[in-house]
Amino acid sequence: MKKYSILFWVSTCLLFSEALFAQIKEGKIVIVKIDSKALQNTGGEHTTRSVSVYLPPNYEASNLKYPVIYYLHGFMGKDLINNQMKGILDEAIARQKIRPFIFVQADHYTLFEGSFYSNSTFTGNWEDFQAEEVVKYIDQNFRTIAQRESRGIAGHSMGGYGAFKIGMLHPEVYNSIYALSPGLVAMVKEFGPNSNSFKEVQKVKTVEELKKTYYPKVLVATGRAWSPNPNKPPFFCDFPFEYEGDKMTINQSVLEKWESNMPFYMVEKYADNLRKMSAIKLDWGRNDSPRFPVQIGMLSQRLENLGINHFAEEYIGDHGNKIWTNDGRVLNELLPFFNDYLKFQ
């Protein structure tokens, strides 16, 4: 009887220890609001933005300072760090894929569902908001290692585009870039000049019609960011291509504005900035929409031609099935990447 009592006591202690460890290793989500000056605009966008912050286990019980990963969400996304995402962040630290860190995601959802992380004369300066105001707020209100060597920027899809572009434009802020399936890198395939997307958006006449689409909705959000036209309701933007039947007309000045915001056409101008990065990585799913392997491959080749060291990897997956999963890119590639290239205390 005494033997069984001892075994019961030992088992109970082990279970209690496991439960206690599970509690200790769990991080915390804090949601803050930033009243942005950079986002003052005439396009009807809200200037007060939510920012979700993941704090690592034992943050409140320690005096340590932490590096920060700034993560940019995709089109139609917001700042929410949901339970699945939080679980992956917790697991990465528990499995020592990355040392404890802070993870930040700001809200870039607009009236047309995405800012494209760009400065716009119509919708506000979203690049400045992300690269300056968000970083300043996080450094002032959390225990960060407030230097570029301890800041990385990453994102998926529209966020992957934003991460590469903002990182490229602000090497004084970030030291490393990871772009998951970055979108609108170049004007190809579904967003190429003879695609159905530009023909479809020209046929859409109302906001209600637009909401039922996908590619036209992306083009309108992009146009409001890159080529706004306050005198052209209901979408208040211009497009680089127009059609009369099947005949295409190129709006050269608008095309130049679009290309000046697309990484493939930008990298030569900002090559020296990219060379300042400790590391750059691009990846894409083999079974994603046709534009992704093409445009990211083009970008990678251009970087290689310019002598800019980087990683580029195709994996077996589609646009979203292996991102925030146990077998996905964030847990197994992105977070270990930043563990290697960010400076920790």
Side-chain angles (χ1 to χ4, degrees):
M1 187 70 179
K2 184 176 181 182
K3 179 179 179 181
Y4 289 114
S5 297
I6 292 171
L7 287 173
F8 176 79
W9 180 80
V10 170
S11 298
T12 302
C13 288
L14 287 172
L15 288 171
F16 177 78
S17 297
E18 288 176 3
L20 183 62
F21 176 73
Q23 291 177 0
I24 291 173
K25 73 176 183 178
E26 187 172 347
K28 177 181 179 181
I29 305 297
V30 176
I31 299 174
V32 300
K33 300 280 187 180
I34 297 179
D35 188 12
S36 171
K37 294 180 180 178
L39 294 182
Q40 298 298 317
N41 68 92
T42 58
E45 303 294 349
H46 292 297
T47 58
T48 300
R49 291 281 147 178
S50 292
V51 180
S52 293
V53 182
Y54 169 86
L55 301 175
N58 295 323
Y59 174 87
E60 293 173 342
S62 78
N63 293 315
L64 289 175
K65 293 184 178 181
Y66 301 92
V68 184
I69 298 171
Y70 290 89
Y71 187 84
L72 311 187
H73 64 73
F75 189 67
M76 300 187 293
K78 294 188 178 182
D79 65 293
L80 176 67
I81 300 173
N82 61 32
N83 289 336
Q84 183 175 352
M85 295 171 68
K86 180 180 177 297
I88 292 295
L89 300 177
D90 285 339
E91 185 172 352
I93 294 173
R95 291 171 58 181
Q96 298 183 349
K97 287 181 175 286
I98 186 170
R99 287 160 282 178
F101 65 101
I102 293 172
F103 182 93
V104 177
Q105 183 170 246
D107 177 17
H108 281 256
Y109 186 88
T110 65
L111 293 172
F112 290 84
E113 304 190 44
S115 71
F116 280 91
Y117 300 97
S118 298
N119 287 346
S120 168
T121 57
F122 187 58
T123 62
N125 292 333
W126 298 87
E127 173 198 324
D128 294 348
F129 167 67
Q130 181 66 46
E132 298 173 10
E133 291 182 327
V134 174
V135 171
K136 181 179 179 181
Y137 183 94
I138 296 300
D139 282 344
Q140 288 179 344
N141 291 275
F142 298 93
R143 293 199 315 277
T144 67
I145 305 173
Q147 58 188 32
R148 69 174 296 273
E149 290 80 8
S150 298
R151 296 192 199 103
I153 188 165
H156 175 246
S157 195
M158 181 185 81
Y161 156 85
F164 186 89
K165 178 183 172 183
I166 292 177
M168 173 174 61
L169 295 177
H170 294 278
E172 78 284 359
V173 179
Y174 311 97
N175 98 313
S176 47
I177 300 168
Y178 196 121
L180 296 151
S181 301
L184 285 181
V185 168
M187 214 167 288
V188 297
K189 296 294 184 178
E190 297 95 328
F191 292 122
N194 286 301
S195 69
N196 287 330
S197 302
F198 282 100
K199 295 176 182 177
E200 288 173 9
V201 74
Q202 189 172 306
K203 295 175 183 177
V204 178
K205 303 302 180 185
T206 67
V207 173
E208 290 71 25
E209 289 178 47
L210 187 73
K211 288 179 180 177
K212 299 175 183 178
T213 70
Y214 180 71
Y215 290 134
K217 186 163 56 177
V218 173
L219 290 175
V220 167
T222 306
R224 287 166 63 89
W226 298 348
S227 54
N229 185 343
N231 300 314
K232 197 173 182 180
F235 306 130
F236 301 102
C237 62
D238 294 318
F239 299 109
F241 312 113
E242 294 180 357
Y243 297 85
E244 290 184 12
D246 289 330
K247 183 181 178 182
M248 182 180 72
T249 301
I250 299 173
N251 296 326
Q252 188 63 37
S253 63
V254 178
L255 178 61
E256 289 172 3
K257 291 177 182 178
W258 282 50
E259 289 187 345
S260 70
N261 280 283
M262 289 181 158
F264 176 74
Y265 311 102
M266 298 173 69
V267 289
E268 186 167 359
K269 181 178 180 180
Y270 296 102
D272 285 342
N273 285 0
L274 289 166
R275 293 186 183 105
K276 295 175 183 177
M277 291 292 142
S278 294
I280 300 167
K281 186 166 182 178
L282 313 169
D283 71 14
W284 63 95
R286 179 183 299 173
N287 304 306
D288 206 336
S289 300
R291 68 188 180 278
F292 287 96
V294 173
Q295 66 181 352
I296 303 169
M298 290 168 59
L299 177 59
S300 177
Q301 184 66 65
R302 191 69 186 132
L303 292 174
E304 184 179 356
N305 292 352
L306 292 168
I308 297 169
N309 192 33
H310 68 288
F311 303 98
E313 183 179 355
E314 179 181 271
Y315 61 91
I316 299 174
D318 57 32
H319 195 59
N321 68 329
K322 289 189 178 179
I323 305 300
W324 288 96
T325 57
N326 285 333
D327 63 346
R329 307 302 288 179
V330 172
L331 178 62
N332 299 296
E333 299 293 336
L334 185 151
L335 294 174
F337 169 88
F338 285 117
N339 187 62
D340 288 342
Y341 291 105
L342 292 181
K343 182 176 180 181
F344 289 72
Q345 192 173 63

